[in-house]
Amino acid sequence: MFIYRILTSNSGISDKLVVTLASILAIFFSIIMHEVAHGYAAKLNGDYTAKSAGRLTLNPVVHFDLWGVLMMLLVGFGWAKPVPVNPANFRNRKLGMITVSLAGVITNLLLAGLSLLLLYLFAPLFVIPVTNAAAAVFRTLGLHFLLQMASLNFMLAFFNLMPIYPLDGYNLVNTFLPYGNPYQRFMVRYGFFVLIGLIVLSQIGRAFNAPYLDIFGMFYDLVYKLIQRVLAAGLGVK
């Protein structure tokens, strides 16, 4: 599990606290930006529902969803409280649904890309010996914040693109289908259970070393390798 891996690592207690703080900051910032992006995309398409509800803000209180944050802490991906969107207000309903559905995912990919760029640029600073304790703490915090921002945002993008209700991928696919289609009826009724089933299956695959069952773990492994290559490139290591 996400937090379990941090707490059971070989680092000292102070490092664990710093890494946990960096992870929590990255989690809240990433999922809040995802939802705010939905709200702004809806506003650009003529729907001011999110703005009227006070959701176009970075204040974490208005976006907090207990289960979504717990899932993020436990398995590494989750959600904030969805911003309210009324497609009836869109100037072009189909275009509005497409852009709103993709806004959060694109934002997560941009945040992940920016984090990788900063990791590449500042990689040498993360290995320079530091004698000042406060400087060492801030450096550890910065490094792990960027590491978590890169991995979490890639995971959020992958997670939300899955065509399962109520994720963005479902809304995107359903936009191109007629109203009341069998896919829509099935997903609205059973999508949440399908999603939980995939998460549980991934956890089982991870626990019993069956990677073909752990689709989220396999994607995370690819992201982890990408991050390591970026850091190595930043340090000039071939």
Side-chain angles (χ1 to χ4, degrees):
M1 291 182 180
F2 185 64
I3 287 296
Y4 178 79
R5 288 199 301 268
I6 295 175
L7 296 179
T8 56
S9 65
N10 294 325
S11 56
I13 294 178
S14 59
D15 284 341
K16 289 179 182 178
L17 290 175
V18 172
V19 173
T20 301
L21 176 60
S23 301
I24 291 173
L25 290 174
I27 286 169
F28 275 97
F29 186 70
S30 300
I31 60 179
I32 287 171
M33 288 298 293
H34 179 99
E35 293 302 328
V36 170
H38 284 314
Y40 269 108
K43 179 183 174 183
L44 291 174
N45 281 280
D47 176 36
Y48 286 73
T49 306
K51 186 178 187 305
S52 300
R55 296 296 304 278
L56 300 187
T57 173
L58 296 181
N59 181 359
V61 175
V62 301
H63 300 287
F64 183 79
D65 181 278
L66 178 60
W67 288 109
V69 172
L70 285 175
M71 289 298 295
M72 182 69 82
L73 292 172
L74 292 174
V75 299
F77 50 86
W79 54 86
K81 184 191 300 181
V83 297
V85 173
N86 186 356
N89 294 328
F90 292 158
R91 288 184 289 271
N92 182 312
R93 186 184 180 95
K94 180 170 287 190
L95 179 62
M97 287 301 299
I98 293 172
T99 53
V100 170
S101 298
L102 290 176
V105 171
I106 291 173
T107 297
N108 289 133
L109 290 175
L110 289 174
L111 288 173
L114 177 60
S115 299
L116 287 178
L117 176 61
L118 293 175
L119 283 170
Y120 172 78
L121 293 175
F122 295 123
L125 298 179
F126 296 132
V127 296
I128 295 175
V130 176
T131 56
N132 184 280
V137 168
F138 279 108
R139 186 175 72 171
T140 301
L141 181 65
L143 170 61
H144 285 280
F145 176 75
L146 291 176
L147 289 173
Q148 295 298 343
M149 282 291 292
S151 60
L152 285 172
N153 279 283
F154 275 125
M155 290 301 295
L156 280 169
F158 172 71
F159 179 68
N160 278 284
L161 275 176
M162 299 181 74
I164 302 172
Y165 180 86
L167 302 179
D168 299 329
Y170 161 79
N171 292 321
L172 185 63
V173 172
N174 196 52
T175 299
F176 297 95
L177 300 175
Y179 180 78
N181 60 82
Y183 167 75
Q184 181 187 53
R185 294 197 301 270
F186 175 84
M187 277 298 167
V188 170
R189 179 173 293 184
Y190 302 112
F192 181 77
F193 300 104
V194 172
L195 189 59
I196 294 300
L198 285 175
I199 293 173
V200 171
L201 189 64
S202 283
Q203 295 301 307
I204 292 174
R206 195 171 306 170
F208 291 94
N209 196 27
Y212 52 87
L213 297 178
D214 184 11
I215 59 172
F216 300 111
M218 287 191 292
F219 184 76
Y220 177 81
D221 289 341
L222 293 175
V223 171
Y224 178 79
K225 290 177 182 178
L226 173 62
I227 293 173
Q228 293 302 309
R229 288 185 178 182
V230 169
L231 284 171
L235 293 172
V237 179
K238 294 183 180 181

